[in-house]
Amino acid sequence: MMIQLIGALLIVSATTLVGFTFAAREKYRLKELEEIERGILLMKNQISYLGTPLAQLLEQISWKTQGVTGQAFQDIAMKMMERQGNSAEEIWERVWLEMGKKSYLTAVDIEELIAFGRTLGFLEKEQQEGSMDMLLFYLREKQEQIKKRLEKNGRLYYSMGVLSGLLIVITLL
């Protein structure tokens, strides 16, 4: 009887943790998108008013952003400063593809970031600002979608974890 009780508790605990994991993934993705938005806003302001060189600008942004975003901006800045013959676009794409594996960003998020990176260094200031505005629009829209989904489904994830655990325990008993 004691072994069955311990087994039941383990099953319910495990399925509850799965529910928490689903909700947490969305929260972490939301935070990463917010940090990217913050970095792009900083970039836009710097390009609009100061005209700072891109590598130096990205390094400054890396100090002001956290997590995967800060690391990505730092890596991009360092690789641009090394000047190994790669274009800003190639460096941007490679770093975000690497960071995508370490983050909660989706493939669509990474693709949007890469599409933005294709405009780095090639366009005039006004065109770069327009490109940044498009990326900012995407980021804000995704954040709103995630917030709505978390409001709607957040408790559902937790409840489903607990209830599925109880269903398994009852089935096994």
Side-chain angles (χ1 to χ4, degrees), residues 41-60:
L41 282 171
L42 290 168
M43 183 186 292
K44 183 178 178 182
N45 290 336
Q46 292 281 355
I47 288 175
S48 296
Y49 301 113
L50 299 176
T52 309
L54 190 57
Q56 185 180 354
L57 170 65
L58 292 172
E59 186 175 20
Q60 291 172 0

Side-chain angles (χ1 to χ4, degrees), residues 121-136:
F122 292 112
L123 303 176
E124 294 177 1
K125 186 168 77 169
E126 292 79 21
Q127 292 171 321
Q128 284 184 344
E129 289 174 0
S131 178
M132 287 182 214
D133 287 338
M134 287 176 54
L135 179 60
L136 289 169

